[in-house]
């Protein structure tokens, strides 16, 4: 009888601090390059998300880091309350107007698998109503969103007036 080894991956999610900024910026650079190489060059063009946005997320305790073995491998914003860009939805409707949180600016270092599922699980432990959006060319994210059980709801427009595909999950 052979021996089998199982690698147990333990991820930790915590609020980001200014001390994490350099690693966070590196992860967003990896994510921009990944999107470009997967036919999505426009979603985070011009070095988005901007440093000012990241700093604001940190200041407001909206930015979270995901760690594996004490190394930052992912980052995301979880923002509770109404999102101004979600007030108008076209070619569809939201499933509910109850209180929700929005997942934004999700990125990984592309070295650790399962980050998206960890983010969803963590977010659902805080609130049972989530919204998320992505660029029409971000096929990888669209696949992950649908696989996680989100429902496509329509099109919203972000602050620079670019359209995004919007999704919702209510548990």
């Amino acid at each position: 009888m052979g021996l089998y080894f199982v690698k147990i991956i333990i991820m930790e999610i915590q609020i980001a601090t200014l001390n994490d900024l350099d690693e966070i910026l590196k992860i967003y650079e990896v994510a921009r390059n990944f999107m470009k190489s997967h036919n999505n060059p426009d979603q985070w063009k011009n070095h988005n998300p901007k440093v000012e946005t990241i700093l604001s997320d940190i200041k407001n305790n909206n930015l979270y880091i995901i760690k594996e073995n004490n190394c930052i491998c992912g980052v995301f914003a979880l923002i509770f309350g109404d999102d101004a860009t979600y007030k108008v939805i076209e070619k569809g409707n939201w499933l509910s107007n109850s209180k929700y949180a929005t997942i934004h600016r999700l990125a990984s270092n592309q070295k650790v698998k399962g980050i998206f599922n960890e983010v969803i699980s963590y977010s659902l432990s805080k609130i049972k109503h989530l919204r998320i959006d992505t660029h029409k060319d971000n096929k990888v994210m669209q696949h992950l969103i649908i696989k996680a059980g989100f429902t496509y709801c329509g099109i919203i427009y972000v602050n620079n007036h670019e359209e995004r595909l919007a999704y919702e999950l209510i548990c």
Side-chain angles (χ1 to χ4, degrees):
M1 179 180 255
L3 293 175
Y4 295 94
F5 295 95
V6 177
K7 181 180 178 184
I8 297 174
I9 298 173
I10 298 174
M11 289 189 221
E12 176 186 353
I13 295 178
Q14 61 192 50
I15 297 222
T17 68
L18 288 176
N19 293 335
D20 304 317
L21 185 60
D22 288 342
E23 287 300 312
I24 290 168
L25 293 174
K26 288 177 191 173
I27 288 173
Y28 281 130
E29 183 63 28
V30 168
R32 280 190 293 276
N33 290 332
F34 178 84
M35 286 191 273
K36 286 177 191 172
S37 70
H38 286 79
N39 300 315
N40 182 20
D42 295 324
Q43 184 169 352
W44 282 354
K45 62 186 174 196
N46 303 322
H47 294 284
N48 280 319
K50 300 284 187 206
V51 173
E52 298 81 25
T53 302
I54 297 166
L55 291 173
S56 175
D57 283 342
I58 291 172
K59 177 184 172 197
N60 293 313
N61 292 324
N62 291 332
L63 198 66
Y64 296 79
I65 54 172
I66 303 126
K67 288 184 165 182
E68 182 198 39
N69 296 327
N70 214 28
C71 295
I72 298 174
C73 57
V75 61
F76 68 102
L78 181 63
I79 303 170
F80 294 85
D82 291 342
D83 186 317
T85 61
Y86 286 12
K87 287 191 190 288
V88 176
I89 186 164
E90 295 180 353
K91 299 180 182 173
N93 294 296
W94 293 115
L95 303 175
S96 172
N97 290 322
S98 65
K99 291 181 182 181
Y100 65 91
T102 306
I103 298 170
H104 283 301
R105 298 178 279 290
L106 172 58
S108 80
N109 64 3
Q110 297 301 311
K111 295 178 183 173
V112 176
K113 301 294 182 204
I115 292 207
F116 184 85
N117 291 336
E118 286 293 321
V119 168
I120 300 306
S121 179
Y122 178 84
S123 300
L124 286 173
S125 76
K126 303 296 180 192
I127 190 167
K128 299 300 182 194
H129 184 181
L130 299 174
R131 290 182 180 174
I132 193 169
D133 64 84
T134 193
H135 194 279
K136 64 181 170 54
D137 293 335
N138 196 340
K139 303 298 183 195
V140 173
M141 185 59 81
Q142 290 171 43
H143 171 76
L144 291 171
I145 290 169
I146 293 296
K147 186 176 175 185
F150 282 79
T151 299
Y152 173 75
C153 291
I155 297 172
I156 58 105
Y157 293 88
V158 292
N159 293 335
N160 63 2
H161 307 291
E162 290 183 9
E163 75 176 39
R164 295 289 186 264
L165 305 178
Y167 301 83
E168 191 166 36
L169 177 65
I170 304 169
C171 291

